[in-house]
Amino acid sequence: MIDNAKLVEQIKAIATRIEAEKDFLTQLDNEIADGDHGINLARGFNAAVDKLPTVEGKDFGTILKTTGMTLVSTVGGSAGPLYGTAFMKAGVALKDKTEIDAADFVKAVEAAIGGIQMRGKAVEGEKTMLDALIPAHKAMAAAVEAGDDLKTALEKAIKAAHEGIEFTKTIKATKGRASYIGDRSIGHQDPGATSITYVMEAIHSTL
Ligand code: ADP
Ligand code: MG
C-alpha cells in the first residue's frame, strides 16, 4: 500500500534524483540532440515540489494532476508535455484514491504510457522513454499478477527498464530531436529512457 503522504515523499524523491542526475542527462541529450533534458526536467520537478504544500493531504488524482500540469508548464521541449501528460493520466487512473495497492500502481503506469503515446505517437523501438517504460510496465504487471508485492514488482520493472536503456543504444531515433541525426544516434543511450528509469528508482527508494 502507498498512501497520499508517501506519494508526496515520492515526488520529492524524484526531484532529488533528477537534480542529482541533471548534468548526466543533459550530457546524454547533448550527444544526440540539444542538451536540455536534465536542466528542463530538474526545473520541472523542482517546481512540482514547490506546489506540493497546496495539495498535501489530497487524493492521488489531485496530487498527480497538479504535478503533471506543473511539468507541462515548466519543463518545455517535448519532455514537458510527455512527462506532464503521463502524470496527469496517472492521476485520472487514481482519481479520488488516498491509498493504492500494487495493481493500482500498474494501472497508473499503463495510463501514463497511454498518455505519452497519445501525445507523442511513438511506439517501442523508436529510441524514446517508452523503450524503458513499456518493458518496465510489462515486467511489473506480470510480477503483480504472480503475487509479488509492489517493491518486488518495481525491482523487476527497474531491471527491465535498464535493459531498455541498453536497447536504446542499439537503435536509431525516429521520434523527437534525436531523429534529426538519424543513424548517428546509434551507440548513444536515450536521455528520456534514462530519466524515466531514475523516476522508477526514486519511487522504489521510498518503499
Ligand atoms: P526536446 O527533445 O524537446 O529537447 P527533451 O530533451 O527534454 O526535449 O527530451 C528528449 C526526450 O524525450 C528523448 O530522449 C525521448 O526519450 C523523449 N521523446 C522525444 N520524443 C518523444 C515521443 N514522440 N514519444 C516519447 N518520447 C519522446
Ligand atoms: Mg532536448
Side-chain angles (χ1 to χ4, degrees):
M1 280 288 180
I2 301 178
D3 64 13
N4 51 354
K6 179 63 81 176
L7 175 62
V8 165
E9 189 191 323
Q10 290 172 340
I11 292 165
K12 289 179 185 165
I14 293 168
T16 302
R17 182 71 193 277
I18 295 294
E19 181 66 37
E21 306 285 357
K22 180 168 72 175
D23 293 343
F24 179 58
L25 291 170
T26 288
Q27 179 200 317
L28 291 178
D29 194 36
N30 209 20
E31 288 170 16
I32 56 173
D34 60 349
D36 62 354
H37 189 60
I39 296 166
N40 284 349
L41 218 49
R43 186 196 314 115
F45 278 109
N46 287 331
V49 168
D50 291 343
K51 283 269 162 64
L52 287 174
T54 67
V55 292
E56 238 159 314
K58 301 263 168 68
D59 65 290
F60 272 63
T62 304
I63 297 170
L64 289 168
K65 276 186 265 176
T66 300
T67 298
M69 282 174 347
T70 306
L71 293 175
V72 170
S73 63
T74 57
V75 176
S78 45
L82 294 166
Y83 258 96
T85 305
F87 275 79
M88 287 191 280
K89 291 289 180 188
V92 173
L94 301 177
K95 192 176 175 324
D96 297 335
K97 288 186 188 285
T98 49
E99 58 176 32
I100 64 164
D101 61 16
D104 292 326
F105 189 95
V106 172
K107 270 186 227 151
V109 174
E110 187 179 323
I113 291 170
I116 293 167
Q117 292 193 301
M118 182 192 75
R119 275 272 178 178
K121 314 278 180 236
V123 295
E124 268 183 285
E126 297 202 87
K127 199 181 183 94
T128 73
M129 56 179 77
L130 293 170
D131 292 318
L133 192 55
I134 292 177
H137 170 261
K138 279 186 194 146
M140 181 189 307
V144 170
E145 186 73 23
D148 282 350
D149 63 15
L150 180 57
K151 192 172 183 196
T152 309
L154 203 46
E155 275 153 24
K156 291 176 179 172
I158 289 166
K159 183 170 178 289
H162 278 282
E163 288 163 8
I165 293 174
E166 291 307 308
F167 173 60
T168 64
K169 292 181 185 172
T170 70
I171 56 176
K172 73 170 175 185
T174 51
K175 283 282 187 305
R177 270 179 211 281
S179 67
Y180 304 165
I181 66 163
D183 284 342
R184 282 186 292 126
S185 66
I186 296 171
H188 301 276
Q189 83 190 55
D190 180 62
T194 309
S195 63
I196 201 79
T197 302
Y198 294 156
V199 167
M200 287 185 266
E201 288 180 344
I203 293 171
H204 176 262
S205 74
T206 69
L207 299 177

